[in-house]
Amino acid sequence: MKIGGKPYRTIWPNVDGSVEVIDQTRLPHRFETRRLATLEDAAHAIRAMIVRGAPLIGATAAYGMALALREDASDEALDRAHDLLAETRPTAINLRWALKRVCDAGRNRPREIRAEAAWREAALIADEDVETCRRIGEHGLAILRDAAAKKNGAPLNILTHCNAGWLACVDWGTALAPIYMAHDAGIPLHVWVDETRPRNQGAALTAFELGGHGVPHAIIADNAGGHLMQAGKVDLCIVGTDRVTQNGDVANKIGTYLKALAAHDNSVPFYVALPSTTIDWTLASGGLIPIEERGASEVTQMTGRLPDGSVVTIDIAAPGSPAANPGFDVTPAGLVTGFVTERGLCAASEDGLRALFPADGAVR
Ligand code: MRU
């Protein structure tokens, strides 16, 4: 995707052997990149949400392993790096999938070539993610095309939650990839962007992405979606996910479940876009997914830009007000109209997933 006409991925290798990422804590007010030179840099970037979104967390962790093995390629160092990175964010399963892939690529090799093998694997994970998201976009495009055909030329109204765009991945995105492709294909559409409190990934990142690509959109308060659905102003919802369990339950950013409930009540189709790397074949159902608890200050404070251009964080609650901050919720499979994957569409069920990914389901 492009920023100011220049094509970017969210993560890329530097010639000096470090890795560069876009600092998502600064968007949309400032476009800055950060250099990750060590394992600790990578772990911090994930923990502090300089990078976020399930696929990008995975790619960053993979590069983090490669950076660690450059310093020390022993078995102990490999295990240490794995454990440190695995603990940075608990809900996105892509993190663990990517760590396993890089560990498998490095472990049974002579020490002197482990770092290089890990680096190659990380680059492969990043490249594959781009292609996977492109395919998700193509399959999702078919859904949007069909839905738009029923609108007699009026814009198709799509609601999305959080940010499942190119910033959440290496490029393209999952839920937003079909939207970019539909827009490029000349399909008239308009996106309702949930602001996504408490961190505002919708208002800060999704709106930034859509605006950059010229896609018509409007930011809405998180609580507005149900009303818009009742008023017939939402034709379909599409979101990303951090983990899908065997039975098709979906963990995604907090608030997703409420949108799925409202969509169900109003007969609005509710799609979830995901790469197969987000399927956790080891968990039977969503109740087993660890839900990240984040700091109270994300709820009691907000960050924004003042008229003089400075970016500040302010309190929005009385001093000392307690707050709770579960980062994700689980949408039961029964509320999901269908999954959009790199291999096509399927039902949100074990049978649906296994029909598309039989080998993956069998081995894990
Ligand atoms: O806490 P975040 O910003 O990492 O949460 C991101 C989401 O919930 C996305 O919807 C999800 O990772 C899918 S990204 C393609």
Side-chain angles (χ1 to χ4, degrees):
M1 287 290 152
K2 291 182 180 162
I3 295 181
K6 187 175 167 199
Y8 276 95
R9 285 183 173 188
T10 52
I11 186 164
W12 62 95
N14 288 320
V15 280
D16 68 358
S18 62
V19 179
E20 201 80 8
V21 295
I22 296 171
D23 185 345
Q24 300 192 26
T25 65
R26 303 288 168 144
L27 291 173
H29 307 302
R30 305 214 200 297
F31 179 78
E32 289 174 14
T33 65
R34 290 273 189 110
R35 182 173 171 273
L36 313 180
T38 64
L39 164 66
E40 287 71 27
D41 289 348
H44 171 72
I46 299 170
R47 214 181 286 117
M49 294 178 68
I50 290 166
V51 294
R52 30 67 53 202
L56 178 57
I57 290 170
T60 309
Y63 274 114
M65 289 295 299
L67 292 168
L69 291 178
R70 284 240 175 94
E71 296 290 313
D72 181 349
S74 65
D75 282 352
E76 300 71 43
L78 188 125
D79 289 340
R80 249 195 332 269
H82 173 281
D83 293 351
L84 178 78
L85 288 161
E87 282 177 6
T88 50
R89 303 268 328 255
T91 304
I93 193 66
N94 305 58
L95 169 64
R96 283 158 197 278
W97 167 85
L99 289 174
K100 180 172 177 341
R101 238 181 92 164
V102 180
C103 285
D104 290 351
R107 194 178 297 278
N108 295 319
R109 291 174 185 261
R111 282 190 187 187
E112 49 299 352
I113 61 165
R114 281 184 176 182
E116 198 197 319
W119 191 264
R120 263 203 317 273
E121 199 65 20
L124 207 57
I125 285 172
D127 286 347
E128 285 175 9
D129 186 67
V130 178
E131 177 57 14
T132 297
C133 286
R134 195 189 62 74
R135 287 182 190 195
I136 290 171
E138 284 182 346
H139 293 300
L141 171 59
I143 295 175
L144 300 192
R145 210 187 277 286
D146 285 353
K150 298 176 190 139
K151 297 278 299 183
N152 295 321
L156 183 68
N157 283 302
I158 303 167
L159 183 144
T160 193
H161 191 70
C162 194
N163 172 261
W166 69 274
L167 287 165
C169 303
V170 178
D171 204 349
W172 281 110
T174 56
L176 296 195
I179 292 173
Y180 291 129
M181 289 188 187
H183 175 76
D184 292 348
I187 296 171
L189 50 84
H190 170 267
V191 183
W192 298 113
V193 178
D194 281 354
E195 61 176 345
T196 318
R197 279 283 289 150
R199 288 188 67 99
N200 294 321
Q201 289 96 326
L205 304 176
T206 298
F208 170 80
E209 280 196 26
L210 293 174
H213 201 85
V215 179
H217 65 281
I219 300 166
I220 50 173
D222 285 327
N223 299 326
H227 163 74
L228 292 171
M229 289 186 215
Q230 282 179 326
K233 292 181 177 170
V234 181
D235 297 306
L236 67 86
C237 303
I238 185 163
V239 299
T241 169
D242 285 75
R243 194 183 305 213
V244 167
T245 51
Q246 258 178 41
N247 68 337
D249 288 347
V250 171
N252 193 47
K253 182 51 54 192
I254 194 79
T256 303
Y257 171 49
L258 286 175
K259 294 304 145 65
L261 278 174
H264 187 73
D265 194 43
N266 290 282
S267 303
V268 172
F270 189 92
Y271 290 97
V272 178
L274 64 136
S276 54
T277 52
T278 303
I279 306 168
D280 184 348
W281 295 102
T282 70
L283 294 188
S285 60
L288 301 168
I289 298 173
I291 300 294
E292 179 176 9
E293 275 291 335
R294 296 191 58 88
S297 65
E298 288 184 354
V299 178
T300 59
Q301 298 183 324
M302 278 180 93
T303 298
R305 185 172 54 194
L306 294 178
D308 70 2
S310 55
V311 175
V312 295
T313 298
I314 54 159
D315 292 331
I316 58 163
S321 289
N325 190 9
F328 296 89
D329 59 24
V330 175
T331 297
L335 296 179
V336 178
T337 306
F339 288 145
V340 187
T341 79
E342 72 269 28
R343 291 199 188 160
L345 313 183
C346 72
S349 65
E350 181 162 359
D351 285 350
L353 288 169
R354 285 198 193 280
L356 287 185
F357 302 101
D360 307 46
V363 291
R364 288 184 219 185

